[in-house]
Amino acid sequence: MPYSLSEIIVLFFIYSVVGWLWKTFYCSLKDNHYDYRGFLFGTYCPIYGFAVMTILICTQDNRILLFIVGIVVATVFEYVASLFLEKVFHMVL
């Protein structure tokens, strides 16, 4: 099932917000106080949007490929984002 450009944009923002909400909720529960997660202003984290959209576009209805690509893409995106933040912004998150 191919996605149109408007669907990709909407899904990107949905997954960016949902990822930020989930990570903030989880870390706040773990630390027993509100813990703002992310480096941008606002309630979104684009790393989740990019990762999920890459996974959805690459797999398209193949569940085994979805699992394998999901593991690889999520790991690579998180690693590259951490390297970028450390080298460019001198931030360790």
Side-chain angles (χ1 to χ4, degrees):
M1 132 176 108
Y3 295 99
S4 69
L5 182 60
S6 60
E7 289 173 327
I8 290 172
I9 292 169
V10 169
L11 288 172
F12 169 80
F13 284 109
I14 288 172
Y15 285 115
S16 295
V17 170
V18 169
W20 181 86
L21 287 171
W22 179 254
K23 189 171 187 176
T24 300
F25 177 74
Y26 174 75
C27 292
S28 295
L29 281 179
K30 190 178 71 163
D31 295 340
N32 292 323
H33 63 85
Y34 176 73
D35 191 11
Y36 179 79
R37 302 303 289 182
F39 67 99
L40 298 173
F41 295 109
T43 57
Y44 59 95
C45 188
I47 188 75
Y48 297 117
F50 283 121
V52 172
M53 291 316 306
T54 303
I55 293 166
L56 287 177
I57 290 170
C58 290
T59 58
Q60 294 185 7
D61 296 335
N62 186 340
R63 294 191 191 268
I64 294 172
L65 188 59
L66 173 69
F67 181 73
I68 294 168
V69 170
I71 291 170
V72 172
V73 167
T75 302
V76 169
F77 269 77
E78 286 283 344
Y79 183 70
V80 169
S82 71
L83 283 178
F84 176 76
L85 288 174
E86 286 179 28
K87 301 298 180 191
V88 175
F89 296 110
H90 307 291
M91 297 175 71
V92 178
L93 298 177

Short mmCIF file of all heavy atoms in Angstrom, two decimals, residues 47-56 65-82:
data_model
loop_
_atom_site.label_atom_id
_atom_site.label_comp_id
_atom_site.label_asym_id
_atom_site.label_seq_id
_atom_site.Cartn_x
_atom_site.Cartn_y
_atom_site.Cartn_z
N ILE A 47 13.12 12.32 15.35
CA ILE A 47 13.81 11.04 15.15
C ILE A 47 12.81 9.90 15.05
O ILE A 47 12.96 8.98 14.24
CB ILE A 47 14.86 10.78 16.25
CG1 ILE A 47 15.70 9.54 15.92
CG2 ILE A 47 14.24 10.60 17.61
CD1 ILE A 47 16.70 9.76 14.87
N TYR A 48 11.74 9.96 15.85
CA TYR A 48 10.72 8.92 15.78
C TYR A 48 9.93 9.01 14.48
O TYR A 48 9.60 7.99 13.87
CB TYR A 48 9.78 9.02 16.98
CG TYR A 48 10.48 8.78 18.29
CD1 TYR A 48 10.55 9.77 19.25
CD2 TYR A 48 11.11 7.57 18.56
CE1 TYR A 48 11.22 9.56 20.45
CE2 TYR A 48 11.78 7.35 19.74
CZ TYR A 48 11.83 8.35 20.69
OH TYR A 48 12.49 8.15 21.85
N GLY A 49 9.63 10.21 14.04
CA GLY A 49 8.91 10.38 12.78
C GLY A 49 9.71 9.85 11.60
O GLY A 49 9.19 9.12 10.76
N PHE A 50 10.99 10.22 11.54
CA PHE A 50 11.84 9.74 10.44
C PHE A 50 12.00 8.22 10.47
O PHE A 50 11.92 7.55 9.44
CB PHE A 50 13.22 10.39 10.49
CG PHE A 50 13.25 11.80 10.00
CD1 PHE A 50 13.69 12.81 10.84
CD2 PHE A 50 12.86 12.12 8.72
CE1 PHE A 50 13.72 14.12 10.41
CE2 PHE A 50 12.89 13.42 8.27
CZ PHE A 50 13.33 14.43 9.11
N ALA A 51 12.22 7.67 11.65
CA ALA A 51 12.43 6.22 11.75
C ALA A 51 11.18 5.45 11.33
O ALA A 51 11.27 4.51 10.53
CB ALA A 51 12.84 5.85 13.17
N VAL A 52 10.04 5.82 11.87
CA VAL A 52 8.82 5.08 11.55
C VAL A 52 8.43 5.24 10.09
O VAL A 52 8.00 4.28 9.45
CB VAL A 52 7.66 5.50 12.49
CG1 VAL A 52 6.36 4.88 12.05
CG2 VAL A 52 7.97 5.11 13.91
N MET A 53 8.60 6.43 9.53
CA MET A 53 8.25 6.62 8.13
C MET A 53 9.19 5.81 7.22
O MET A 53 8.74 5.24 6.23
CB MET A 53 8.29 8.10 7.75
CG MET A 53 7.19 8.90 8.39
SD MET A 53 5.56 8.13 8.35
CE MET A 53 5.32 7.78 6.64
N THR A 54 10.45 5.74 7.56
CA THR A 54 11.38 4.92 6.78
C THR A 54 10.98 3.45 6.84
O THR A 54 10.98 2.75 5.83
CB THR A 54 12.82 5.10 7.30
OG1 THR A 54 13.16 6.48 7.26
CG2 THR A 54 13.80 4.29 6.49
N ILE A 55 10.61 3.00 8.03
CA ILE A 55 10.19 1.61 8.21
C ILE A 55 8.92 1.33 7.42
O ILE A 55 8.82 0.33 6.71
CB ILE A 55 10.00 1.29 9.70
CG1 ILE A 55 11.35 1.34 10.42
CG2 ILE A 55 9.33 -0.07 9.89
CD1 ILE A 55 11.24 1.37 11.93
N LEU A 56 7.92 2.21 7.50
CA LEU A 56 6.66 1.99 6.80
C LEU A 56 6.84 1.99 5.28
O LEU A 56 6.25 1.18 4.58
CB LEU A 56 5.64 3.06 7.19
CG LEU A 56 5.04 2.95 8.58
CD1 LEU A 56 4.11 4.12 8.86
CD2 LEU A 56 4.29 1.64 8.76
N LEU A 65 9.81 -8.59 7.25
CA LEU A 65 10.66 -7.48 6.84
C LEU A 65 10.43 -6.27 7.77
O LEU A 65 11.38 -5.57 8.11
CB LEU A 65 10.38 -7.10 5.39
CG LEU A 65 11.31 -6.09 4.74
CD1 LEU A 65 12.74 -6.61 4.75
CD2 LEU A 65 10.86 -5.79 3.33
N LEU A 66 9.19 -6.06 8.19
CA LEU A 66 8.87 -4.98 9.13
C LEU A 66 9.67 -5.14 10.42
O LEU A 66 10.24 -4.18 10.94
CB LEU A 66 7.38 -4.96 9.43
CG LEU A 66 6.90 -4.01 10.52
CD1 LEU A 66 7.04 -2.57 10.06
CD2 LEU A 66 5.46 -4.30 10.89
N PHE A 67 9.72 -6.34 10.95
CA PHE A 67 10.44 -6.61 12.19
C PHE A 67 11.94 -6.36 12.03
O PHE A 67 12.56 -5.66 12.83
CB PHE A 67 10.18 -8.05 12.64
CG PHE A 67 10.85 -8.42 13.92
CD1 PHE A 67 10.39 -7.93 15.13
CD2 PHE A 67 11.95 -9.25 13.92
CE1 PHE A 67 11.01 -8.26 16.32
CE2 PHE A 67 12.58 -9.60 15.10
CZ PHE A 67 12.11 -9.10 16.30
N ILE A 68 12.53 -6.92 10.98
CA ILE A 68 13.97 -6.81 10.76
C ILE A 68 14.37 -5.36 10.45
O ILE A 68 15.30 -4.82 11.04
CB ILE A 68 14.42 -7.77 9.65
CG1 ILE A 68 14.22 -9.21 10.11
CG2 ILE A 68 15.87 -7.51 9.26
CD1 ILE A 68 14.36 -10.24 9.02
N VAL A 69 13.65 -4.74 9.52
CA VAL A 69 13.96 -3.35 9.16
C VAL A 69 13.71 -2.43 10.35
O VAL A 69 14.45 -1.47 10.56
CB VAL A 69 13.14 -2.92 7.92
CG1 VAL A 69 13.25 -1.43 7.67
CG2 VAL A 69 13.61 -3.69 6.70
N GLY A 70 12.69 -2.71 11.14
CA GLY A 70 12.40 -1.91 12.32
C GLY A 70 13.55 -1.90 13.31
O GLY A 70 13.94 -0.86 13.83
N ILE A 71 14.12 -3.05 13.54
CA ILE A 71 15.27 -3.14 14.46
C ILE A 71 16.47 -2.37 13.91
O ILE A 71 17.08 -1.56 14.61
CB ILE A 71 15.66 -4.62 14.70
CG1 ILE A 71 14.57 -5.33 15.50
CG2 ILE A 71 17.00 -4.72 15.40
CD1 ILE A 71 14.75 -6.82 15.56
N VAL A 72 16.79 -2.61 12.65
CA VAL A 72 17.97 -1.99 12.05
C VAL A 72 17.80 -0.47 11.93
O VAL A 72 18.68 0.30 12.34
CB VAL A 72 18.28 -2.62 10.67
CG1 VAL A 72 19.37 -1.86 9.95
CG2 VAL A 72 18.65 -4.09 10.83
N VAL A 73 16.67 -0.03 11.40
CA VAL A 73 16.46 1.40 11.17
C VAL A 73 16.41 2.16 12.49
O VAL A 73 17.02 3.22 12.63
CB VAL A 73 15.18 1.64 10.34
CG1 VAL A 73 14.77 3.10 10.36
CG2 VAL A 73 15.40 1.18 8.91
N ALA A 74 15.69 1.64 13.49
CA ALA A 74 15.61 2.32 14.77
C ALA A 74 16.99 2.45 15.42
O ALA A 74 17.34 3.52 15.95
CB ALA A 74 14.66 1.59 15.70
N THR A 75 17.78 1.41 15.34
CA THR A 75 19.13 1.44 15.93
C THR A 75 20.02 2.44 15.19
O THR A 75 20.71 3.25 15.83
CB THR A 75 19.76 0.03 15.88
OG1 THR A 75 18.91 -0.87 16.57
CG2 THR A 75 21.14 0.03 16.49
N VAL A 76 20.01 2.40 13.88
CA VAL A 76 20.85 3.30 13.09
C VAL A 76 20.43 4.75 13.29
O VAL A 76 21.28 5.63 13.49
CB VAL A 76 20.83 2.90 11.60
CG1 VAL A 76 21.46 3.97 10.73
CG2 VAL A 76 21.51 1.57 11.39
N PHE A 77 19.13 5.04 13.26
CA PHE A 77 18.66 6.41 13.44
C PHE A 77 19.05 6.96 14.81
O PHE A 77 19.51 8.09 14.93
CB PHE A 77 17.14 6.49 13.26
CG PHE A 77 16.71 6.80 11.86
CD1 PHE A 77 16.72 5.81 10.90
CD2 PHE A 77 16.29 8.06 11.51
CE1 PHE A 77 16.33 6.07 9.60
CE2 PHE A 77 15.90 8.35 10.22
CZ PHE A 77 15.91 7.35 9.25
N GLU A 78 18.87 6.18 15.86
CA GLU A 78 19.23 6.63 17.21
C GLU A 78 20.74 6.87 17.31
O GLU A 78 21.18 7.86 17.91
CB GLU A 78 18.80 5.61 18.26
CG GLU A 78 17.31 5.59 18.52
CD GLU A 78 16.83 6.73 19.39
OE1 GLU A 78 17.65 7.39 20.05
OE2 GLU A 78 15.62 6.96 19.42
N TYR A 79 21.54 6.00 16.74
CA TYR A 79 23.00 6.14 16.81
C TYR A 79 23.47 7.37 16.04
O TYR A 79 24.28 8.15 16.54
CB TYR A 79 23.68 4.88 16.28
CG TYR A 79 25.18 4.93 16.40
CD1 TYR A 79 25.79 4.86 17.65
CD2 TYR A 79 25.98 5.07 15.28
CE1 TYR A 79 27.17 4.93 17.77
CE2 TYR A 79 27.35 5.15 15.39
CZ TYR A 79 27.94 5.07 16.63
OH TYR A 79 29.30 5.15 16.75
N VAL A 80 22.97 7.55 14.83
CA VAL A 80 23.37 8.69 14.01
C VAL A 80 22.92 9.99 14.67
O VAL A 80 23.67 10.98 14.69
CB VAL A 80 22.83 8.56 12.57
CG1 VAL A 80 22.99 9.84 11.79
CG2 VAL A 80 23.51 7.40 11.86
N ALA A 81 21.71 10.01 15.23
CA ALA A 81 21.23 11.21 15.91
C ALA A 81 22.09 11.54 17.13
O ALA A 81 22.40 12.71 17.38
CB ALA A 81 19.77 11.03 16.33
N SER A 82 22.49 10.52 17.88
CA SER A 82 23.34 10.78 19.05
C SER A 82 24.71 11.31 18.63
O SER A 82 25.25 12.22 19.26
CB SER A 82 23.48 9.53 19.91
OG SER A 82 24.28 8.57 19.26
#
